[in-house]
Amino acid sequence: MHVTFPRLPDHEVGYSVVERDDGVVYQLLGGRAGTALPHDIMHLVVERELGITDGIWGGIAAGMVFGSMRHVRGRRPPHVTERSALLKRTYRDRILRAELLGNLVEAIAALDDPSADEIRRLTGSKLSMLRMPEPPSPQAFATAARALQVEAARWARLRPGAELRYEWALPVTHHVPRPRDPSAPGNRRDPRRRLGGRGGSGRPGPRC
């Protein structure tokens, strides 16, 4: 998957162009343009550096479509809306984890040469609500923070009209049941069931 972030004039609404591997292209709206690193780049860099395959960008690669995304071109697969909704429900906790990990690495990157103990203290406070059997090591967080600092410096030097381009090559690990086709045999609703059925009790039938 290719993701391009154009540097727009300050205060304009920023966006990125997401080109999925299946040829579908979306525009992902972001915050106001400026010299500060866009939030979506922060997440892309952190998730890539920490190998997070089931976070925000892994979800987009797998087929999640967020409300801030607009289809640009490319033929979308069948049941795209249903699949996206299933992915969001199934991986809601993992997306929250990716958000918190991104915020943690961003906080580490704001420090000057943080020690392992400082990173552990930040990890304890920022990830206190997460149930993680084993969080990444302080060294892994420090490496991700340095990568974030590099990208922040690159972005700050960009002039309007330039862009940064990233490759998302981590494997897709989101697996959800395929949405059912409501028109397929066995999936159609019997209109009588909404009325309780013939000679029924007046209760609606079970949802299909």
Coordinates of all heavy atoms in Angstrom, one line a residue, residues 14-91:
G14 N -5.6 19.4 5.7 CA -4.6 18.4 5.1 C -5.3 17.1 4.7 O -6.4 16.8 5.2
Y15 N -4.6 16.3 3.9 CA -5.1 15.0 3.6 C -4.0 14.1 3.1 O -2.9 14.6 2.9 CB -6.2 15.1 2.4 CG -5.6 15.6 1.1 CD1 -5.1 14.7 0.2 CD2 -5.6 17.0 0.8 CE1 -4.6 15.2 -1.0 CE2 -5.1 17.4 -0.4 CZ -4.6 16.5 -1.3 OH -4.1 17.0 -2.5
S16 N -4.3 12.9 3.0 CA -3.3 11.9 2.4 C -4.0 11.1 1.3 O -5.3 11.1 1.3 CB -2.7 11.0 3.4 OG -3.7 10.3 4.1
V17 N -3.3 10.6 0.4 CA -3.8 9.7 -0.7 C -3.4 8.3 -0.4 O -2.2 8.0 -0.4 CB -3.4 10.2 -2.1 CG1 -3.9 9.3 -3.2 CG2 -3.8 11.6 -2.3
V18 N -4.4 7.4 -0.2 CA -4.1 6.0 0.1 C -4.4 5.2 -1.1 O -5.5 5.1 -1.6 CB -5.0 5.6 1.3 CG1 -4.7 4.1 1.7 CG2 -4.8 6.5 2.5
E19 N -3.3 4.5 -1.6 CA -3.5 3.6 -2.7 C -3.3 2.2 -2.2 O -2.2 1.7 -2.0 CB -2.4 3.9 -3.8 CG -2.4 5.3 -4.3 CD -1.2 5.7 -5.2 OE1 -1.2 5.1 -6.3 OE2 -0.4 6.5 -4.7
R20 N -4.4 1.5 -2.0 CA -4.4 0.1 -1.5 C -3.8 -0.8 -2.6 O -3.8 -0.5 -3.8 CB -5.7 -0.4 -1.1 CG -6.2 0.2 0.2 CD -7.4 -0.5 0.8 NE -8.3 -1.1 -0.2 CZ -9.6 -1.1 0.0 NH1 -10.2 -0.6 1.1 NH2 -10.4 -1.7 -0.9
D21 N -3.4 -2.0 -2.2 CA -2.8 -3.0 -3.1 C -3.8 -3.5 -4.1 O -3.4 -4.1 -5.1 CB -2.2 -4.1 -2.3 CG -0.9 -3.7 -1.5 OD1 -0.4 -2.6 -1.8 OD2 -0.5 -4.4 -0.6
D22 N -5.1 -3.4 -3.8 CA -6.1 -3.9 -4.7 C -6.5 -2.9 -5.7 O -7.4 -3.1 -6.5 CB -7.4 -4.4 -3.9 CG -8.0 -3.3 -3.1 OD1 -7.5 -2.1 -3.2 OD2 -9.0 -3.5 -2.5
G23 N -5.8 -1.7 -5.8 CA -6.0 -0.7 -6.8 C -7.1 0.3 -6.4 O -7.3 1.3 -7.1
V24 N -7.7 0.2 -5.2 CA -8.6 1.2 -4.7 C -7.9 2.3 -4.1 O -7.0 2.1 -3.3 CB -9.6 0.6 -3.7 CG1 -10.6 1.6 -3.3 CG2 -10.4 -0.6 -4.4
V25 N -8.3 3.6 -4.4 CA -7.7 4.8 -3.9 C -8.7 5.6 -3.1 O -9.8 5.8 -3.6 CB -7.1 5.6 -5.1 CG1 -6.4 6.9 -4.6 CG2 -6.1 4.8 -5.9
Y26 N -8.2 6.0 -1.9 CA -9.0 6.9 -1.1 C -8.2 8.2 -0.7 O -7.0 8.2 -0.7 CB -9.4 6.2 0.2 CG -10.4 5.1 0.1 CD1 -10.1 3.8 0.0 CD2 -11.8 5.4 0.3 CE1 -11.0 2.8 -0.1 CE2 -12.7 4.5 0.2 CZ -12.4 3.1 0.0 OH -13.3 2.2 -0.1
Q27 N -9.0 9.2 -0.5 CA -8.4 10.4 0.1 C -8.8 10.4 1.6 O -10.0 10.3 2.0 CB -9.0 11.7 -0.5 CG -8.3 13.0 0.0 CD -9.0 14.2 -0.6 OE1 -10.1 14.6 -0.2 NE2 -8.4 14.8 -1.6
L28 N -7.8 10.5 2.5 CA -8.0 10.5 3.9 C -7.8 11.9 4.5 O -6.7 12.4 4.4 CB -7.0 9.5 4.6 CG -7.0 9.5 6.1 CD1 -8.3 9.1 6.7 CD2 -5.9 8.5 6.6
L29 N -8.8 12.5 5.0 CA -8.7 13.9 5.5 C -8.0 13.9 6.8 O -8.2 12.9 7.6 CB -10.1 14.5 5.6 CG -10.9 14.8 4.4 CD1 -12.2 15.4 4.7 CD2 -10.1 15.7 3.4
G30 N -7.2 14.9 7.1 CA -6.5 15.1 8.3 C -6.7 16.4 8.9 O -7.7 17.1 8.7
G31 N -5.8 16.8 9.8 CA -5.9 18.1 10.4 C -5.5 19.3 9.6 O -5.2 19.1 8.4
R32 N -5.4 20.5 10.2 CA -4.9 21.6 9.5 C -3.4 21.5 9.1 O -2.6 21.0 9.9 CB -5.1 22.9 10.3 CG -6.6 23.2 10.6 CD -7.3 23.7 9.3 NE -8.7 23.9 9.5 CZ -9.6 24.3 8.6 NH1 -9.1 24.6 7.4 NH2 -10.8 24.5 8.8
A33 N -3.1 22.0 7.9 CA -1.7 21.9 7.4 C -0.8 22.9 8.2 O -1.3 23.9 8.7 CB -1.7 22.2 5.9
G34 N 0.4 22.5 8.3 CA 1.4 23.4 9.0 C 2.7 22.6 9.0 O 2.9 21.6 8.4
T35 N 3.6 23.1 9.8 CA 5.0 22.5 9.9 C 5.0 21.3 10.9 O 5.9 20.5 10.9 CB 6.0 23.5 10.4 OG1 5.6 24.1 11.6 CG2 6.2 24.7 9.4
A36 N 4.0 21.2 11.7 CA 3.9 20.1 12.7 C 3.6 18.8 11.9 O 2.8 18.8 11.0 CB 2.9 20.3 13.7
L37 N 4.2 17.7 12.3 CA 4.0 16.4 11.6 C 2.5 16.0 11.7 O 1.9 16.0 12.8 CB 4.8 15.3 12.3 CG 4.9 14.0 11.6 CD1 5.6 14.0 10.3 CD2 5.5 12.9 12.5
P38 N 1.9 15.7 10.6 CA 0.5 15.2 10.6 C 0.3 14.0 11.5 O 1.1 13.1 11.6 CB 0.2 14.9 9.2 CG 1.1 15.8 8.4 CD 2.4 15.8 9.2
H39 N -0.8 14.0 12.2 CA -1.2 12.9 13.1 C -1.1 11.5 12.4 O -0.7 10.5 12.9 CB -2.5 13.1 13.7 CG -2.9 12.2 14.8 ND1 -2.3 12.3 16.1 CD2 -3.8 11.2 14.9 CE1 -2.8 11.3 16.9 NE2 -3.7 10.6 16.2
D40 N -1.6 11.5 11.1 CA -1.7 10.2 10.4 C -0.3 9.7 10.1 O -0.1 8.5 10.0 CB -2.5 10.4 9.2 CG -4.0 10.6 9.5 OD1 -4.4 10.0 10.5 OD2 -4.7 11.3 8.7
I41 N 0.7 10.6 9.8 CA 2.1 10.2 9.6 C 2.6 9.6 10.9 O 3.3 8.6 10.9 CB 2.9 11.3 9.1 CG1 2.5 11.8 7.7 CG2 4.4 10.9 9.0 CD1 3.4 12.9 7.1
M42 N 2.3 10.3 12.0 CA 2.8 9.8 13.3 C 2.4 8.3 13.4 O 3.2 7.4 13.8 CB 2.3 10.6 14.4 CG 2.7 10.2 15.8 SD 1.7 8.9 16.6 CE 0.2 9.9 17.0
H43 N 1.1 8.0 13.2 CA 0.6 6.7 13.4 C 1.2 5.7 12.4 O 1.6 4.6 12.8 CB -0.9 6.6 13.3 CG -1.6 6.9 14.6 ND1 -1.5 6.0 15.7 CD2 -2.3 7.9 15.1 CE1 -2.2 6.5 16.7 NE2 -2.7 7.7 16.4
L44 N 1.4 6.1 11.2 CA 2.0 5.2 10.2 C 3.4 4.8 10.6 O 3.8 3.7 10.5 CB 1.9 5.9 8.8 CG 2.3 5.0 7.6 CD1 1.6 5.5 6.4 CD2 3.8 5.0 7.3
V45 N 4.2 5.8 11.0 CA 5.6 5.6 11.3 C 5.6 4.7 12.6 O 6.4 3.7 12.6 CB 6.3 6.9 11.6 CG1 7.7 6.6 12.1 CG2 6.4 7.7 10.3
V46 N 4.9 5.0 13.6 CA 4.9 4.2 14.9 C 4.5 2.8 14.6 O 5.1 1.8 15.1 CB 4.1 4.9 15.9 CG1 3.9 4.0 17.2 CG2 4.7 6.2 16.4
E47 N 3.3 2.6 13.9 CA 2.8 1.3 13.7 C 3.8 0.5 12.8 O 4.0 -0.7 13.1 CB 1.4 1.3 13.1 CG 0.4 1.9 14.0 CD -1.0 2.1 13.4 OE1 -1.3 1.4 12.4 OE2 -1.8 2.9 13.9
R48 N 4.4 1.1 11.9 CA 5.4 0.4 11.0 C 6.6 0.0 11.8 O 7.1 -1.1 11.7 CB 5.8 1.3 9.8 CG 6.6 0.6 8.8 CD 7.0 1.5 7.7 NE 7.8 2.7 8.1 CZ 8.2 3.7 7.3 NH1 7.8 3.7 6.0 NH2 8.9 4.6 7.8
E49 N 7.1 1.0 12.7 CA 8.3 0.7 13.4 C 8.1 -0.4 14.5 O 9.0 -1.2 14.7 CB 8.8 2.0 14.1 CG 9.4 3.0 13.1 CD 10.7 2.5 12.4 OE1 11.5 1.9 13.1 OE2 10.8 2.8 11.2
L50 N 6.9 -0.4 15.1 CA 6.6 -1.4 16.1 C 6.1 -2.7 15.6 O 5.8 -3.6 16.3 CB 5.7 -0.8 17.2 CG 6.2 0.4 18.0 CD1 5.2 0.8 19.0 CD2 7.5 0.0 18.7
G51 N 5.9 -2.8 14.2 CA 5.3 -4.0 13.6 C 3.9 -4.2 14.0 O 3.4 -5.4 14.1
I52 N 3.1 -3.2 14.2 CA 1.7 -3.3 14.5 C 0.9 -3.5 13.2 O 0.7 -2.6 12.4 CB 1.2 -2.0 15.2 CG1 2.0 -1.8 16.5 CG2 -0.3 -2.1 15.5 CD1 1.7 -0.5 17.2
T53 N 0.4 -4.7 13.0 CA -0.3 -5.1 11.8 C -1.8 -5.0 11.9 O -2.5 -5.1 10.9 CB 0.0 -6.5 11.4 OG1 -0.4 -7.4 12.4 CG2 1.5 -6.7 11.1
D54 N -2.3 -4.8 13.2 CA -3.8 -4.7 13.4 C -4.2 -3.4 14.0 O -5.1 -3.4 14.8 CB -4.2 -5.9 14.3 CG -3.4 -6.0 15.6 OD1 -2.6 -5.1 15.8 OD2 -3.6 -7.0 16.3
G55 N -3.5 -2.3 13.6 CA -3.9 -1.0 14.1 C -4.6 -0.2 13.0 O -5.3 -0.8 12.2
I56 N -4.4 1.1 13.0 CA -5.1 1.9 12.1 C -4.7 1.7 10.7 O -5.6 1.5 9.8 CB -4.9 3.4 12.5 CG1 -5.5 3.7 13.9 CG2 -5.5 4.3 11.5 CD1 -5.0 5.0 14.5
W57 N -3.4 1.7 10.4 CA -3.0 1.5 9.0 C -3.1 0.1 8.5 O -3.4 -0.1 7.3 CB -1.6 2.1 8.8 CG -1.6 3.6 8.8 CD1 -1.3 4.4 9.8 CD2 -2.1 4.4 7.7 NE1 -1.5 5.7 9.5 CE2 -2.0 5.8 8.2 CE3 -2.5 4.2 6.4 CZ2 -2.3 6.9 7.4 CZ3 -2.9 5.3 5.6 CH2 -2.8 6.6 6.1
G58 N -2.9 -0.8 9.4 CA -3.2 -2.2 9.0 C -4.6 -2.5 8.7 O -5.0 -3.2 7.8
G59 N -5.5 -1.8 9.5 CA -6.9 -1.9 9.3 C -7.3 -1.3 7.9 O -8.1 -1.9 7.2
I60 N -6.7 -0.1 7.6 CA -7.0 0.5 6.3 C -6.6 -0.5 5.1 O -7.3 -0.7 4.1 CB -6.4 1.8 6.1 CG1 -7.1 2.8 7.1 CG2 -6.4 2.4 4.7 CD1 -6.4 4.2 7.2
A61 N -5.4 -1.1 5.3 CA -4.9 -2.0 4.3 C -5.8 -3.2 4.1 O -6.0 -3.8 3.0 CB -3.5 -2.5 4.6
A62 N -6.5 -3.6 5.3 CA -7.3 -4.8 5.2 C -8.7 -4.5 4.7 O -9.5 -5.4 4.4 CB -7.4 -5.4 6.6
G63 N -9.1 -3.2 4.7 CA -10.4 -2.9 4.1 C -11.3 -2.0 5.0 O -12.4 -1.7 4.7
M64 N -10.7 -1.5 6.1 CA -11.5 -0.6 6.9 C -11.6 0.8 6.2 O -10.7 1.2 5.6 CB -10.8 -0.3 8.3 CG -10.9 -1.4 9.3 SD -10.3 -0.9 10.9 CE -10.0 -2.5 11.6
V65 N -12.8 1.3 6.2 CA -13.0 2.7 5.6 C -13.6 3.6 6.7 O -14.7 3.3 7.2 CB -14.0 2.6 4.4 CG1 -14.2 3.9 3.8 CG2 -13.4 1.6 3.4
F66 N -12.8 4.5 7.1 CA -13.2 5.4 8.2 C -14.1 6.6 7.6 O -14.1 6.8 6.4 CB -12.0 6.0 8.9 CG -11.3 4.9 9.7 CD1 -10.1 4.4 9.1 CD2 -11.7 4.5 10.9 CE1 -9.4 3.4 9.8 CE2 -11.0 3.5 11.6 CZ -9.9 2.9 11.0
G67 N -14.8 7.3 8.5 CA -15.6 8.4 8.0 C -14.9 9.5 7.3 O -15.5 10.3 6.6
S68 N -13.6 9.6 7.6 CA -12.8 10.7 7.0 C -12.2 10.3 5.7 O -11.4 11.0 5.1 CB -11.7 11.1 8.0 OG -10.9 10.0 8.3
M69 N -12.6 9.1 5.2 CA -12.1 8.6 3.9 C -13.1 8.8 2.8 O -14.3 8.5 2.9 CB -11.6 7.2 4.0 CG -10.5 6.9 5.0 SD -10.2 5.2 5.3 CE -9.6 4.6 3.7
R70 N -12.6 9.3 1.6 CA -13.4 9.5 0.4 C -12.9 8.7 -0.7 O -11.7 8.8 -1.0 CB -13.5 11.0 0.1 CG -14.4 11.3 -1.1 CD -14.4 12.8 -1.4 NE -13.1 13.3 -1.9 CZ -12.7 13.2 -3.2 NH1 -13.5 12.7 -4.1 NH2 -11.5 13.7 -3.5
H71 N -13.8 7.9 -1.3 CA -13.3 7.0 -2.4 C -13.0 7.9 -3.6 O -13.8 8.8 -4.0 CB -14.4 6.1 -2.8 CG -14.1 5.2 -4.0 ND1 -14.8 5.3 -5.2 CD2 -13.1 4.3 -4.2 CE1 -14.3 4.4 -6.1 NE2 -13.3 3.8 -5.5
V72 N -11.8 7.7 -4.2 CA -11.3 8.5 -5.4 C -11.5 7.7 -6.7 O -12.1 8.2 -7.7 CB -9.9 9.0 -5.2 CG1 -9.4 9.7 -6.4 CG2 -9.8 9.8 -3.9
R73 N -10.9 6.5 -6.7 CA -11.0 5.7 -7.9 C -10.7 4.2 -7.6 O -10.2 3.9 -6.5 CB -10.0 6.2 -9.0 CG -8.6 6.1 -8.6 CD -7.7 6.6 -9.8 NE -6.3 6.5 -9.4 CZ -5.6 7.4 -8.8 NH1 -6.2 8.5 -8.4 NH2 -4.3 7.2 -8.5
G74 N -10.9 3.4 -8.5 CA -10.7 2.0 -8.4 C -12.0 1.3 -8.0 O -12.8 1.8 -7.3
R75 N -12.1 0.0 -8.4 CA -13.3 -0.7 -8.2 C -13.3 -1.4 -6.8 O -12.4 -2.2 -6.5 CB -13.5 -1.8 -9.2 CG -14.8 -2.6 -9.1 CD -14.9 -3.6 -10.2 NE -16.2 -4.4 -10.1 CZ -16.5 -5.3 -10.9 NH1 -15.7 -5.6 -12.0 NH2 -17.7 -6.0 -10.8
R76 N -14.2 -0.9 -6.0 CA -14.3 -1.5 -4.6 C -14.9 -2.9 -4.6 O -15.7 -3.2 -5.4 CB -15.1 -0.6 -3.7 CG -14.4 0.7 -3.4 CD -15.3 1.7 -2.6 NE -16.3 2.3 -3.5 CZ -17.1 3.2 -3.1 NH1 -17.0 3.7 -1.9 NH2 -18.0 3.7 -3.9
P77 N -14.4 -3.8 -3.7 CA -14.9 -5.1 -3.7 C -16.4 -5.1 -3.1 O -16.8 -4.1 -2.5 CB -14.0 -5.8 -2.7 CG -13.4 -4.7 -1.8 CD -13.3 -3.5 -2.7
P78 N -17.1 -6.2 -3.4 CA -18.5 -6.3 -2.9 C -18.5 -6.2 -1.3 O -17.6 -6.6 -0.7 CB -18.9 -7.7 -3.3 CG -18.0 -8.0 -4.4 CD -16.7 -7.4 -4.1
H79 N -19.6 -5.7 -0.8 CA -19.9 -5.6 0.6 C -18.8 -4.8 1.4 O -18.5 -5.1 2.5 CB -20.0 -7.0 1.2 CG -20.9 -7.9 0.4 ND1 -22.2 -7.7 0.3 CD2 -20.6 -9.1 -0.2 CE1 -22.8 -8.7 -0.4 NE2 -21.8 -9.5 -0.8
V80 N -18.3 -3.8 0.7 CA -17.2 -3.0 1.4 C -17.6 -2.4 2.7 O -16.9 -2.4 3.7 CB -16.6 -2.0 0.4 CG1 -17.7 -0.9 0.0 CG2 -15.4 -1.2 1.0
T81 N -18.9 -1.9 2.7 CA -19.4 -1.2 3.9 C -19.5 -2.3 5.1 O -19.1 -2.0 6.2 CB -20.7 -0.5 3.7 OG1 -20.5 0.4 2.6 CG2 -21.2 0.2 4.9
E82 N -20.1 -3.4 4.7 CA -20.3 -4.4 5.8 C -19.0 -5.0 6.3 O -18.8 -5.2 7.5 CB -21.1 -5.6 5.2 CG -22.6 -5.2 4.9 CD -22.7 -4.6 3.5 OE1 -21.7 -4.3 2.9 OE2 -23.9 -4.4 3.1
R83 N -18.0 -5.2 5.4 CA -16.7 -5.7 5.8 C -16.0 -4.7 6.7 O -15.4 -5.1 7.7 CB -15.8 -6.0 4.6 CG -14.4 -6.4 5.0 CD -13.6 -6.9 3.8 NE -12.2 -7.1 4.2 CZ -11.8 -8.2 4.8 NH1 -12.6 -9.1 5.1 NH2 -10.5 -8.3 5.2
S84 N -16.1 -3.4 6.3 CA -15.4 -2.4 7.1 C -16.0 -2.4 8.5 O -15.3 -2.3 9.5 CB -15.6 -1.0 6.5 OG -15.1 0.0 7.3
A85 N -17.4 -2.5 8.6 CA -18.0 -2.4 9.9 C -17.6 -3.6 10.8 O -17.4 -3.5 12.0 CB -19.5 -2.4 9.7
L86 N -17.5 -4.8 10.1 CA -17.1 -6.0 10.9 C -15.7 -5.9 11.4 O -15.4 -6.2 12.5 CB -17.2 -7.2 9.9 CG -18.6 -7.9 9.8 CD1 -18.5 -8.9 8.7 CD2 -19.0 -8.5 11.1
L87 N -14.8 -5.3 10.5 CA -13.4 -5.1 11.0 C -13.3 -4.2 12.2 O -12.6 -4.4 13.1 CB -12.6 -4.6 9.8 CG -12.2 -5.6 8.7 CD1 -11.6 -4.9 7.5 CD2 -11.1 -6.6 9.3
K88 N -14.1 -3.1 12.1 CA -14.0 -2.1 13.2 C -14.5 -2.7 14.5 O -13.9 -2.5 15.5 CB -14.9 -0.9 12.8 CG -14.3 0.0 11.7 CD -15.2 1.1 11.3 CE -14.7 1.9 10.2 NZ -15.7 3.0 9.8
R89 N -15.6 -3.5 14.4 CA -16.1 -4.1 15.6 C -15.1 -5.2 16.2 O -14.8 -5.2 17.4 CB -17.4 -4.8 15.4 CG -18.6 -3.8 15.2 CD -19.9 -4.5 15.3 NE -20.1 -5.6 14.3 CZ -20.7 -5.4 13.1 NH1 -21.1 -4.2 12.8 NH2 -20.8 -6.4 12.3
T90 N -14.6 -6.0 15.3 CA -13.7 -7.1 15.7 C -12.4 -6.5 16.3 O -11.9 -7.1 17.2 CB -13.4 -8.0 14.5 OG1 -14.6 -8.5 13.9 CG2 -12.6 -9.2 14.9
Y91 N -11.9 -5.5 15.7 CA -10.5 -5.0 16.1 C -10.6 -3.6 16.8 O -9.6 -2.9 16.9 CB -9.6 -4.9 14.9 CG -9.3 -6.2 14.4 CD1 -10.0 -6.9 13.4 CD2 -8.1 -6.9 14.9 CE1 -9.7 -8.2 13.0 CE2 -7.8 -8.1 14.4 CZ -8.6 -8.8 13.5 OH -8.3 -10.1 13.1

